[in-house]
Amino acid sequence: MASDGGPEAGGRWSAAALLADPLRRRVYAAVVEHDDGVTREAVAQELDLARSTAAFHLERLAAAGLLAVEFRRVNGRSGPGAGRPAKLYRRGDSEFALSVPRRLYAVAGGVMAEAIEHAAAGASPKAALHDAANRAGHRLASGATDLEGALLREGFEPRAEGDDTVLGTCPFHKLAQQHPGVVCDLNHALVCAMADEVGAASDRVQLDPGAGGCCLRIAGSFDSSN
């Protein structure tokens, strides 16, 4: 098994570093919203980019394993005269992508263990959980320049929903199914602390069980002021 400092870890963090570029984050977010894959032309049109610019960022993300590439016809036709298959991009199934939820489950386990220790020493269980999640959130967002980048790096997949931002996935989904109250409180405190760490307004992070693929909604888009 590779250590945390081995080549696999280096590859994961190199991939995450690609998302430090704001435009590349937008390109990545545009792709993950399309479960069936999307062409470079569609990404360019959606983000109002030159086709060559969209292609450059898509290829960088694919080379890092953050995106997967496939070729297929998108017009439903087959056989002679159907035209060439289109090149499509979708979210990657790489070791980097698969490692994100596993790592966050470890974060959740550490938060809960720390909270249990503090509660055993006399602290309120809810306050102990909130404080432990707060510290973990600051650690997760350390080094990020903004909340969108921190959330993307940690696998939350932020995306626009109307005037707000929601999260495309819940990294604690299985835990939340069994213990929704505890896990959603943990998640809320964690993301609020991530916002604080990067200088964003944490009061924009709101509990909303019906939002996206997670229990959180961030009021306003990332293009709005903090």
Side-chain angles (χ1 to χ4, degrees):
M1 179 179 295
S3 68
D4 289 343
E8 288 88 350
R12 290 197 296 269
W13 288 114
S14 295
L18 287 175
L19 297 176
D21 180 88
L23 179 54
R24 196 165 294 134
R25 289 202 303 268
R26 292 176 60 210
V27 171
Y28 178 77
V31 173
V32 299
E33 289 184 4
H34 298 269
D35 293 335
D36 293 332
V38 63
T39 65
R40 60 182 60 177
E41 290 81 8
V43 171
Q45 182 175 7
E46 183 175 330
L47 300 181
D48 194 23
L49 300 174
R51 181 182 180 277
S52 58
T53 301
F56 170 77
H57 290 294
L58 288 165
E59 290 300 314
R60 289 290 304 275
L61 291 165
L66 288 168
L67 298 180
V69 175
E70 62 180 294
F71 292 86
R72 73 169 188 268
R73 292 186 174 91
V74 295
N75 57 12
R77 299 171 59 192
S78 61
R84 297 175 59 188
K87 187 174 186 178
L88 299 172
Y89 300 84
R90 59 175 175 79
R91 184 172 66 172
D93 297 323
S94 67
E95 176 63 23
F96 170 83
L98 294 174
S99 74
V100 170
R102 289 201 299 266
R103 183 160 56 84
L104 284 175
Y105 269 94
V107 169
V111 167
M112 292 178 181
E114 184 179 339
I116 290 169
E117 286 183 352
H118 290 172
S124 157
K126 186 170 184 177
L129 182 71
H130 182 276
D131 290 345
N134 183 277
R135 285 187 285 273
H138 280 280
R139 291 193 297 269
L140 283 180
S142 178
T145 57
D146 53 54
L147 183 56
E148 182 185 20
L151 291 170
L152 272 170
R153 187 176 72 184
E154 298 306 325
F156 288 89
E157 296 183 2
R159 61 183 64 174
E161 183 178 272
D163 294 331
D164 297 336
T165 299
V166 297
L167 305 178
T169 187
C170 174
F172 311 117
H173 177 66
K174 290 184 179 179
L175 283 175
Q177 286 182 315
Q178 298 171 351
H179 308 284
V182 172
V183 176
C184 288
D185 280 348
L186 183 160
N187 200 21
H188 183 234
L190 190 79
V191 175
C192 282
M194 292 174 72
D196 286 336
E197 175 67 22
V198 299
S202 60
D203 59 356
R204 292 174 57 198
V205 183
Q206 303 165 359
L207 276 169
D208 181 356
C214 190
C215 59
L216 301 180
R217 176 180 298 276
I218 301 169
S221 70
F222 287 114
D223 293 330
S224 62
S225 62
N226 290 340

